[in-house]
């Protein structure tokens, strides 16, 4: 350019600014040449009225937000009570988000003496299905017209979110005579119908692959003290009509 794009004054006698040392290290480009009629219009470089209004508003908002953050930081650093309250709220929010991303569960045990099986068991009662041991098991007969039910009660209200079931007879389980029991020698439940004392119910399906534990998510189990575990459908043993076996059922609530 030979003239100022704003006022039209010649720039032939304008003072040349000395370039900084680090700019000399960068590769230099020659002067940008444009064809006639291709020079940028001064009108295009000016901001429109709406753009100016938005700039003023957003610029003001940015300054206000900056001041608020500065004051909040000073108050957080100076006032211990506010700092402790903020830390507590942040910890609570962080714990909630962590629960969404990677939930953790804690086991809940039935209340002592609050387990009942129908029909009542003989030498292998229903309490053995929730006793915490993998070498014992609940054995209940298949009775025509009567669905086996295991009723489990807890000492306090819980939000039941997950169960782990060791279906059939697991490895290492012994019969009442002290002899090893085979997994396929007894019938196993293929579905559980859970009825809660909050007026709700849910169904869960169990795979029949191995006696390994099956982890199953449970819905509708919030705020309960008792659950009825019905066995409506079965995987039959090699000899149909054999009793139904469950090694262990574990109950978990979300932390």
């Amino acid at each position: 350019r030979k003239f100022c794009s704003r006022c039209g004054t010649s720039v032939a006698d304008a003072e040349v600014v000395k370039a900084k040392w680090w700019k000399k290290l960068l590769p230099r480009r020659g002067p940008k040449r444009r064809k006639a009629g291709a020079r940028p219009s001064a009108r295009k470089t000016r901001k429109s009225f709406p753009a100016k209004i938005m700039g003023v508003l957003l610029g003001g908002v940015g300054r206000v937000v900056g001041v608020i953050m500065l004051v909040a930081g000073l108050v957080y650093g100076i006032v211990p009570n506010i700092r402790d309250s903020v830390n507590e709220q942040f910890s609570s929010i962080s714990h909630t988000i962590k629960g969404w991303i990677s939930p953790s569960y804690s086991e809940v045990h039935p209340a002592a003496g609050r387990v009942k099986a129908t029909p009542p068991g003989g030498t292998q009662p229903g309490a053995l299905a929730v006793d915490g041991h993998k070498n014992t098991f609940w054995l209940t007969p298949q009775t025509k017209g009567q669905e086996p039910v295991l009723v489990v009660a807890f000492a306090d209200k819980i939000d039941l979110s997950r169960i782990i079931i060791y279906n059939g007879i697991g490895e290492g389980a012994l019969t009442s005579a002290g002899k090893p029991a085979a997994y396929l020698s007894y019938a196993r439940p293929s579905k559980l119908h859970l009825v809660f004392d909050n007026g709700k119910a849910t169904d869960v399906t169990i795979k029949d692959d191995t006696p390994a534990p099956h982890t199953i998510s449970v819905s509708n189990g919030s705020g309960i003290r008792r659950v009825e575990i019905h066995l409506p459908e079965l995987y039959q043993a090699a000899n149909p009509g054999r009793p139904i076996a469950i090694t262990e059922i574990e109950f978990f609530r979300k932390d």
Side-chain angles (χ1 to χ4, degrees):
R1 295 180 183 272
K2 299 183 183 297
F3 301 94
C4 177
S5 61
R6 292 191 177 185
C7 64
T9 305
S10 174
V11 296
D13 299 328
E15 181 182 356
V16 179
V17 179
K18 186 177 180 181
K20 296 181 180 180
W21 65 269
W22 56 269
K23 287 188 176 181
K24 297 179 180 179
L25 301 178
L26 300 177
R28 299 184 62 183
R29 295 182 299 175
K32 190 172 183 180
R33 301 182 180 277
R34 298 179 184 270
K35 295 182 179 180
R39 295 183 181 277
S41 172
R43 183 180 298 275
K44 294 181 180 180
T45 62
R46 299 192 188 112
K47 291 184 179 180
S48 63
F49 180 75
K52 290 181 180 180
I53 296 297
M54 292 300 296
V56 171
L57 293 177
L58 295 179
V61 171
R63 286 190 291 271
V64 171
V65 171
V67 171
I68 292 175
M69 292 183 65
L70 178 61
V71 173
L74 292 174
V75 173
Y76 174 84
I78 295 173
V79 184
N81 292 338
I82 293 180
R83 181 169 61 251
D84 294 341
S85 178
V86 171
N87 291 341
E88 183 178 350
Q89 291 294 329
F90 178 80
S91 178
S92 175
I93 295 173
S94 176
H95 181 76
T96 302
I97 295 175
K98 183 178 178 181
W100 293 340
I101 299 174
S102 179
S104 59
Y105 300 87
S106 57
E107 186 174 0
V108 184
H109 299 281
R114 301 291 301 278
V115 179
K116 180 181 178 181
T118 304
T123 57
Q124 306 289 142
L128 296 179
V130 292
D131 62 351
H133 301 290
K134 308 301 186 299
N135 59 350
T136 60
F137 57 94
W138 171 36
L139 206 62
T140 182
Q142 296 189 48
T143 305
K144 188 175 182 179
Q146 185 178 16
E147 189 176 83
V149 181
L150 183 67
V151 181
V152 179
F154 305 95
D156 302 304
K157 280 189 175 183
I158 66 168
D159 294 333
L160 184 63
S161 301
R162 172 181 289 185
I163 64 171
I164 296 179
I165 181 169
Y166 295 76
N167 207 18
I169 299 177
E171 297 178 1
L174 304 176
T175 63
S176 58
K179 298 181 179 180
Y183 178 71
L184 299 177
S185 298
Y186 295 91
R188 291 87 54 201
S190 61
K191 179 183 289 185
L192 302 181
H193 179 63
L194 308 180
V195 180
F196 306 111
D197 60 349
N198 62 2
K200 299 180 180 180
T202 190
D203 293 323
V204 298
T205 302
I206 307 170
K207 295 180 179 180
D208 189 40
D209 42 12
T210 66
H214 296 79
T215 301
I216 304 171
S217 297
V218 176
S219 59
N220 300 329
S222 299
I224 67 167
R225 287 182 180 270
R226 189 185 66 187
V227 55
E228 297 178 5
I229 305 174
H230 298 249
L231 314 182
E233 298 180 14
L234 305 173
Y235 296 113
Q236 289 293 342
N239 296 323
R242 293 278 289 166
I244 309 164
I246 296 178
T247 296
E248 192 72 18
I249 302 176
E250 298 174 347
F251 306 90
F252 294 84
R253 63 183 175 191
K254 185 181 291 187
D255 294 334

